[in-house]
Amino acid sequence: MYVRFSLNADLLTSGDIPGEAAAAIEQAVQEANETSFRRGVPKEAQPDDIGRITGWSVEGNALRLSIASGPYTRAHDALFRFRKSIASVLGRHRIGVRGIEVTGFTIRLEGSVEPAAIPRLPMIQETAFDENGVLLSLTLNAADLENKVPDRLVRLIEEKAEAMAYGGKAEHWELIYESPRQPPRFDRDPTEEMVKKGWIKHGAARGQWIYGPQAVQLFRAFETIVLEEIIRPLGFSEMVFPKLVPWEVWKRSGHAKGVYPEIYYVCTPKTRDPAYWEDVADYFKVTGEVPVEMIRDRIDGPIGGMCYAQCPPFWPFVQGETLATDCLPIHVFDRSGTSHRYESGGIHGIERVDEFHRIEVLWLGTAEQTVDTADRLHAAYTRVFDDLLELEWRCARVTPWFMAQEGLVGVSENEQIGTRDYEAVLPYSGGWLEFQNVSVNGNKYPKGFNVKIQSGADCWSGCSGIGLERWTAAFLAQKGFDMADWPDRVAELVGEPKEIFRFL
Ligand code: SER
Ligand code: ZN
């Protein structure tokens, strides 16, 4: 898609612009068109690609400008650049620039653009298609231009067009490792078996389980393996990340771009004055029903949501900081709580739920350090799955989770950046279950949270989510419930299932 911008704007001045200023203004316009607007533009750019003032006139206390551009020194950037230089010219006549009034702004996209890729936004006033592309007429003000709204709009349309072009094709998935085959010991759905055995029961909320002691013995056995075989040898330190995530974090992590259909939203009371809530409590006391509509009127927010991806709420810990070279790479992990996703109809077994438990491993440093940690993690996981759990599994390069969660498709252009999914075969269905991932996230998070490193090199980070429910589902689906069939180490760590409840 080729893009053109065109705008009309008035620079409003503190007093009428005198006729004798005309020559100096014309000179400033030429200087801008020939020099200042060309700064930073690649040599191969054509004159039409670059911002230029195509016309100007004076009307009382307004300097009316028409500016056009292709992709370089975009019309709105040119406008602000010109404001600076004209301010000193007008200053000589004791006139100051007071403000900018945008009287017209259009974006022309050339190439084939699907109408469905153009979002309905209040700023788009008119959309006109023709055989060569589309012309968008926008209503916006100078603050919107300073906030780069036109650029964001173009990027959004490009992303939507990419997603649509990708639409029909399967998600990105590229096999990079396949384990040896393992003889299946079980051919049923392990969740159903756990329910039958009384190891787990549905929680009162949707997509939520209450795990009995027997199931938790498995969780803790896997956690021990992760700690002893992966986290300790690789030198990760435990932290506790918050589990309520405010918009402030999701704006920086990119989740604010796409995660809305899956959030568990969090609200706060408008006041904690008991008198304000008395009728709500009384309503319940009288009717036995909680008056949800009454509550809705008395709460603020949502202020954000419950933990979704686990690592984003770590980042305020390092936000705005420069990390000393001698503390890098930083290796930490969190296992302090649940993650929540509104899975709607997708709920299945213990492996696809609205509330789940995960150990999140996170690291940051230089690009080399970050990639190295990911590779060492991958080697450690491979040993654990092949030798300790004896799983039949495979590993694939997929759309990075941080892109997928923003609603993007494809893979990163940089080969080193991306997500590897670990999948285990489920003998009862023949399907594959993604039970954890390892990602090199590039500079995405350090950039979003403004984290630098002492050497001035780009700061990179990575993370790996280890799903306890999913390890359990994969392991039981393949190995079944007869501990004689289990690898020794797992059997030993789990021990005899504790049957502490007896229901009459
Ligand atoms: N943060 C990553 C994810 O959400 C790894 O847990 O998938
Ligand atoms: Zn993560």
Side-chain angles (χ1 to χ4, degrees), residues 91 106 112 127 164 194 199 201 213 230 286 326 364 383 476:
T106 62
S112 73
T127 309
M164 286 169 65
M194 283 200 279
W199 289 12
K201 284 196 180 206
I230 296 156
V286 171
D326 62 12
L364 54 153
R383 197 168 37 78
L476 291 175

Side-chain angles (χ1 to χ4, degrees), residues 190-191 194 199-201 207-228 230-231 333 335-339 348-353 355-359 384-385 389 433 435-436 466-477 481 483 486 489-498:
T191 298
M194 283 200 279
W199 289 12
I200 57 173
K201 284 196 180 206
Q208 177 192 59
W209 292 95
I210 307 172
Y211 296 97
Q214 309 92 327
V216 176
Q217 284 172 263
L218 272 152
F219 283 6
R220 294 294 169 253
F222 292 140
E223 204 170 51
T224 303
I225 289 175
V226 172
L227 284 172
E228 289 180 358
I230 296 156
I231 279 176
F333 73 101
R335 52 167 167 174
S336 68
T338 45
S339 295
H348 183 265
I350 62 164
E351 64 270 17
R352 196 172 188 98
V353 281
E355 174 176 303
F356 56 99
H357 302 79
R358 162 169 67 175
I359 303 174
V384 165
F385 302 143
L389 304 192
L433 174 67
F435 61 99
Q436 66 162 47
I466 302 170
L468 291 177
E469 280 89 351
R470 296 214 169 166
W471 274 44
T472 303
F475 181 83
L476 291 175
F481 290 76
M483 289 176 81
W486 290 8
R489 181 77 189 288
V490 179
E492 187 190 313
L493 283 169
V494 172
E496 274 308 307
K498 284 189 201 155

Side-chain angles (χ1 to χ4, degrees), residues 73-91:
T73 311
R74 296 176 168 197
H76 41 296
D77 297 328
L79 173 66
F80 294 115
R81 224 179 264 185
F82 183 69
R83 178 180 59 180
K84 259 196 211 144
S85 60
I86 201 67
S88 62
V89 171
L90 294 174

Side-chain angles (χ1 to χ4, degrees), residues 67 97 102 177 197 481 492:
I67 308 181
V97 179
V102 184
Y177 175 84
K197 287 176 163 312
F481 290 76
E492 187 190 313

Side-chain angles (χ1 to χ4, degrees), residues 7-296:
L7 70 77
N8 292 313
D10 294 348
L11 293 185
L12 304 174
T13 51
S14 54
D16 285 358
I17 302 170
E20 69 256 31
I25 294 173
E26 178 57 31
Q27 207 187 344
V29 166
Q30 279 184 19
E31 190 281 334
N33 282 351
E34 280 156 28
T35 316
S36 112
F37 293 168
R38 286 174 189 254
R39 227 167 271 143
V41 172
K43 282 202 177 56
E44 61 275 17
Q46 301 296 308
D48 262 10
D49 295 340
I50 308 165
R52 67 225 166 266
I53 297 171
T54 54
W56 68 269
S57 63
V58 168
E59 214 174 294
N61 69 335
L63 173 57
R64 327 202 91 167
L65 298 169
S66 301
I67 308 181
S69 80
Y72 302 113
T73 311
R74 296 176 168 197
H76 41 296
D77 297 328
L79 173 66
F80 294 115
R81 224 179 264 185
F82 183 69
R83 178 180 59 180
K84 259 196 211 144
S85 60
I86 201 67
S88 62
V89 171
L90 294 174
R92 280 181 235 130
H93 297 269
R94 302 191 182 289
I95 292 170
V97 179
R98 286 286 174 267
I100 298 178
E101 197 174 303
V102 184
T103 53
F105 196 102
T106 62
I107 301 177
R108 177 153 180 89
L109 297 167
E110 281 164 17
S112 73
V113 187
E114 281 288 330
I118 314 265
R120 273 171 298 143
L121 287 177
M123 280 174 209
I124 302 185
Q125 202 177 37
E126 211 186 302
T127 309
F129 285 90
D130 57 48
E131 60 275 17
N132 298 321
V134 59
L135 186 73
L136 308 175
S137 309
L138 310 186
T139 316
L140 33 63
N141 57 34
D144 297 327
L145 293 187
E146 243 168 336
N147 202 9
K148 300 217 165 279
V149 166
D151 308 275
R152 293 178 192 210
L153 208 51
V154 169
R155 184 75 208 111
L156 181 60
I157 292 169
E158 282 169 354
E159 280 172 10
K160 284 185 191 284
E162 273 165 35
M164 286 169 65
Y166 215 86
K169 298 178 208 158
E171 248 197 82
H172 187 88
W173 189 93
E174 187 191 322
L175 186 67
I176 53 180
Y177 175 84
E178 218 168 354
S179 77
R181 303 293 300 264
Q182 296 283 351
R185 307 281 184 196
F186 195 65
D187 62 1
R188 276 169 294 141
D189 181 341
T191 298
E192 284 165 20
E193 191 68 15
M194 283 200 279
V195 171
K196 242 186 258 165
K197 287 176 163 312
W199 289 12
I200 57 173
K201 284 196 180 206
H202 276 294
R206 44 161 295 132
Q208 177 192 59
W209 292 95
I210 307 172
Y211 296 97
Q214 309 92 327
V216 176
Q217 284 172 263
L218 272 152
F219 283 6
R220 294 294 169 253
F222 292 140
E223 204 170 51
T224 303
I225 289 175
V226 172
L227 284 172
E228 289 180 358
E229 304 294 333
I230 296 156
I231 279 176
R232 269 191 214 123
L234 268 60
F236 286 86
S237 302
E238 185 162 10
M239 287 183 68
V240 172
F241 302 166
K243 294 293 172 283
L244 191 170
V245 189
W247 300 125
E248 205 41 56
V249 166
W250 278 337
K251 276 154 84 175
R252 292 177 179 275
S253 71
H255 285 84
K257 289 184 190 167
V259 82
Y260 303 99
E262 291 183 11
I263 296 178
Y264 267 91
Y265 293 91
V266 174
C267 295
T268 46
K270 282 201 201 302
T271 152
R272 59 161 295 180
D273 173 8
Y276 185 76
W277 289 94
E278 192 172 343
D279 54 345
V280 171
D282 289 346
Y283 185 96
F284 170 72
K285 288 177 198 164
V286 171
T287 65
E289 296 297 334
V290 174
V292 175
E293 288 306 323
M294 282 169 80
I295 294 173
R296 229 193 288 279

Side-chain angles (χ1 to χ4, degrees), residues 308-312 341 358 360 401 405 437 463-465:
Y308 180 92
Q310 201 156 340
C311 55
R341 293 184 184 184
R358 162 169 67 175
E360 175 84 0
W401 66 269
Q405 292 176 9
N437 60 21
C463 72
S464 172

